[in-house]
Amino acid sequence: MGSRPRQRCGTVAGGRACALVALLAILSCAAHAATDVKFDWSKDMWYNPSLVQAGDTFVSAVKSTRMQRMGKKNWWINSLRMCEGSVSSSSSSGMQALTCKPYDPWAGKYKECEFDDRVRGGKLDTAGLGDVKVWRWPGRGVYAIFGRKPQRNGTSVLCNGFVVYHQWIAQIKAEEGAGEWRLEQPLPLLVPASHAYPEGTAFAMEKNWMPFVHMDANGAEHLYVSYLMQPHIVLEVMPSGETVHRWTSHDEQLMAKFAPHHVHGGPPVVYVPADRSPSGAAYYLGVMHHIEKVGEKNARLYRHFAFKTAPHPPFEVTAVSDELPLVFNATYKARTALIAFVSGLDLSPSGDVLITYGSADVNARLLSLPLPELEGLFSGGVAFRDVDVPHEPVAEHAKARRLLGRHGGSWGARRRQQQAAAGGRRGRGHLRRGGDGLEDGEEDGGVHF
């Protein structure tokens, strides 16, 4: 990514960059002490950040969403930004200026089709990239994984035939050793050729694929993704974007507490080498989540858990943590008060686990835990937190009302009407599966279309 002139903190653009710099300074100065801080990124409601440190550079993706009524449809319109800043060993803050700019790897040339009445009754749609999750591939560069609707096919603006909301990967920063994984354009990831969706399914949302890199005994690198968590299915990704099913494993006893729930994936998985692991054993570290409906208002509660897998095939899940101590935000709406979505995971050179997440679809937060403290959450009990469920409507912030597009009457009431028109709580033809990141017909990570 190209560099931009440093912005002064007194400007709007400079305020955004300087606010992030100040908070990342907390991360640098408070190494080996757990912190959870809010990224105060000006008045814009940016959320679901994904932050990694690649050498002397911080890279972070972040999203904002606005609701807009166009014709007979309500649209969730996503805008993505990619932020970059230099880490400085001589600076007391630990890094130089960080700047953000719009992120569109197609430069406006990708023309999405529109959902027809098979999806949400044709009354609710989405535009733009889904959550952009960033990860490091040492020696090859920095990459991102995200979802997007198909392109238009022919003269029709509608999505025709069987509709798949694909996962894509794109290269953010290339290194000399990128080789066959040097991506000039985003690469669509295709489910294995042997995979068959249930008969009669009109569309499928493939989401929350969790990439990780593994070096085999011969020194060859492979790109894999954790595709499902129940059971744990691992696919290998080829440079063509095609995938091959490699392994399936499941520990029924370990996952017993999640039997009543539909478990989804999360951010890219990170490797913890033996020399950095407090236990002295190498493993892969990831974050998974599930959604519960709680309280009189059926508020959606997101619960997140770290998990470990073996460092070698079949990469079986070997441990699940207690629930992660993420911060909820009841400031804006009861409907989103218990939503927190982990979109970023990284292991810093200082030994801190960096967990970046969105809170209530309006805030971007960073939870930094020393690795030994995170490992302490693997108590063996897989404890769920007690959560206070909001029973009364929360006073809505004026900005939230504008971004959610209220046009008389509540968004919740309009949404229930749309669901009824679509034939019930779940959109017609909706494929409900762990790889799609959907629950009750809603898109994971807070963009509920």
Side-chain angles (χ1 to χ4, degrees), residues 212-295:
F212 64 97
V213 177
H214 175 70
M215 181 177 292
D216 65 23
N218 297 319
E221 287 186 322
H222 302 264
L223 177 61
Y224 297 114
V225 295
S226 287
Y227 177 65
L228 292 180
M229 292 304 301
Q230 279 180 313
H232 188 217
I233 294 179
V234 176
L235 309 180
E236 182 171 4
V237 182
M238 305 303 176
S240 64
E242 296 176 317
T243 63
V244 179
H245 177 206
R246 292 302 189 199
W247 302 282
T248 297
S249 58
H250 184 61
D251 187 329
E252 187 173 347
Q253 182 176 357
L254 179 62
M255 299 292 286
K257 283 197 173 182
F258 302 101
H261 308 293
H262 196 57
V263 179
H264 308 293
V269 174
V270 300
Y271 179 65
V272 180
D275 61 359
R276 300 189 67 182
S277 168
S279 66
Y283 60 90
Y284 285 97
L285 176 68
V287 175
M288 64 186 191
H289 75 283
H290 71 266
I291 308 168
E292 300 175 16
K293 294 295 183 75
V294 295

Side-chain angles (χ1 to χ4, degrees), residues 186-202:
L187 180 70
L189 305 184
L190 309 176
V191 296
S194 59
H195 178 76
Y197 293 106
E199 186 177 353
T201 301

Side-chain angles (χ1 to χ4, degrees), residues 129-146:
L129 281 64
D131 295 310
V132 175
K133 302 170 184 177
V134 180
W135 87 94
R136 291 179 291 112
W137 189 338
R140 295 187 188 266
V142 177
Y143 295 80
I145 186 167
F146 50 84

